[in-house]
Amino acid sequence: MTENVRFLRKMCALTDVFFAVICDDQFFVKITPRGEAAFPDLPKAPPYEGAKDSLLVEDVEDRERMTGLVRVTCEALRSRHQKKRRNDHAL
């Protein structure tokens, strides 16, 4: 297993939010409006047949950029989840 794959798996395991998958040795991150705005140059592709598009991170060597994308994406997904919880409690 390469150093980068170990790094990616560790990043995925350290969050409490499902934000990414590794498929066929490629790293895919869930699309959020904040992630798209911060990283508009990342291509979109489905990680597997029948899946929704995700942001495809082709340069996994750029840890600073990857860390920024993961941070922005996880924050957006957490806030979305918290808003949904608040709305569920309001019913």
Side-chain angles (χ1 to χ4, degrees):
M1 186 180 328
T2 68
E3 177 76 21
N4 287 327
V5 171
R6 281 193 288 268
F7 174 73
L8 294 173
R9 287 187 178 165
K10 188 172 186 177
M11 282 193 331
C12 291
L14 291 176
T15 67
D16 58 346
V17 176
F18 179 76
F19 69 92
V21 295
I22 300 171
C23 294
D24 296 326
D25 293 327
Q26 293 181 305
F27 188 60
F28 295 88
V29 178
K30 279 190 173 187
I31 295 174
T32 63
R34 289 178 60 192
E36 266 187 306
F39 301 91
D41 58 322
L42 290 177
K44 296 175 191 162
Y48 52 88
E49 190 175 326
K52 292 181 183 178
D53 277 351
S54 296
L55 296 175
L56 173 58
V57 181
E58 296 174 306
D59 182 9
V60 295
E61 298 292 329
D62 187 348
R63 289 187 180 190
E64 185 176 318
R65 185 172 191 201
M66 295 240 327
T67 301
L69 175 60
V70 169
R71 183 175 292 120
V72 165
T73 301
C74 287
E75 287 171 0
L77 293 171
R78 278 190 194 107
S79 68
R80 183 187 304 168
H81 183 69
Q82 288 172 348
K83 286 179 186 176
K84 185 177 178 182
R85 275 190 167 172
R86 277 190 229 125
N87 288 340
D88 289 347
H89 290 294
L91 296 177

